[in-house]
Amino acid sequence: MRSFLPYHSPVGTLWVMENGQAITEIRKSETPPAIGIQQETQLLQMAVQQLQAYFAGKRKVFSLPLAPKGTPFQKRVWRTLLQIPYGETRSYGQIAQAVGNPKACRAVGMANHRNPILLVVPCHRVIGKNGSLTGYGGGLKTKAYLLQLEQGDRKGILYGNF
């Protein structure tokens, strides 16, 4: 059975979803998921607590069972994203190189775009090769906010609460 909980974060409402064994999705939306039951499970409570600690600057690594749905290539990209340390970034080219296909920058970008578990699978840490902020499913303002948060720039966060 699919369960979900909302978490009202500094970047907007995040819907945390699980399948009874693992987190399957964290998405930013003002509307609840169409499928599943809103209920507090132990796993969802743990995920929300870890998100709260992350936004408070007290958690740098998430410790949750994850079960994102995607193609084998997407899952390889997402596993690689999990290796990017808190407060650091990588380019799409670096991720393509790390997954063993240096010419797959666009495919890496598409896998990032399809990442179903925002924040925990840190696609926000992937930037353009020239250092520019490029597309992000949660929006570029959110991406900038998250990168500034992770770099310890608590006073200089540009966008505050959304």
Side-chain angles (χ1 to χ4, degrees), residues 29-41:
S29 175
E30 294 307 314
T31 59
I35 299 172
I37 298 170
Q38 183 172 330
Q39 64 179 347
E40 286 192 35
T41 67

Side-chain angles (χ1 to χ4, degrees), residues 13 44 51 78 87 140 147 154-155 161:
T13 302
L44 291 173
L51 287 166
W78 300 335
L140 289 180
L147 292 173
R154 310 245 343 128
K155 290 181 186 172
N161 291 338

Side-chain angles (χ1 to χ4, degrees), residues 23 27 29 36 47 84 99 101 103 110 115 117 131 140:
I23 301 298
R27 68 177 174 91
S29 175
I84 304 172
V99 299
N101 193 343
K103 295 183 179 183
M110 289 306 298
N115 172 18
I117 305 178
L140 289 180

Side-chain angles (χ1 to χ4, degrees), residues 34-92:
I35 299 172
I37 298 170
Q38 183 172 330
Q39 64 179 347
E40 286 192 35
T41 67
Q42 186 175 5
L43 180 56
L44 291 173
Q45 288 174 340
M46 182 171 46
V48 167
Q49 288 170 351
Q50 289 188 24
L51 287 166
Q52 289 170 333
Y54 169 82
F55 281 107
K58 296 178 180 173
R59 177 172 283 277
K60 296 181 179 179
V61 177
F62 290 92
S63 177
L64 297 165
L66 304 176
K69 288 186 179 180
T71 68
F73 178 79
Q74 289 169 337
K75 289 180 181 181
R76 243 181 20 247
V77 169
W78 300 335
R79 280 190 300 273
T80 302
L81 299 180
L82 289 169
Q83 304 305 311
I84 304 172
Y86 180 93
E88 294 185 20
T89 59
R90 300 290 184 272
S91 71
Y92 292 94

Side-chain angles (χ1 to χ4, degrees), residues 10-11 28 54-55 86-89 92 119 122-127 131-162:
V11 296
K28 183 180 170 188
Y54 169 82
F55 281 107
Y86 180 93
E88 294 185 20
T89 59
Y92 292 94
L119 297 169
C123 56
H124 61 277
R125 296 180 188 155
V126 182
I127 59 174
S132 64
L133 297 186
T134 56
Y136 179 64
L140 289 180
K141 286 183 178 183
T142 299
K143 185 172 189 165
Y145 178 93
L146 297 173
L147 292 173
Q148 288 178 309
L149 173 73
E150 290 187 8
Q151 291 166 1
D153 189 6
R154 310 245 343 128
K155 290 181 186 172
I157 292 178
L158 297 174
Y159 301 104
N161 291 338
F162 286 61

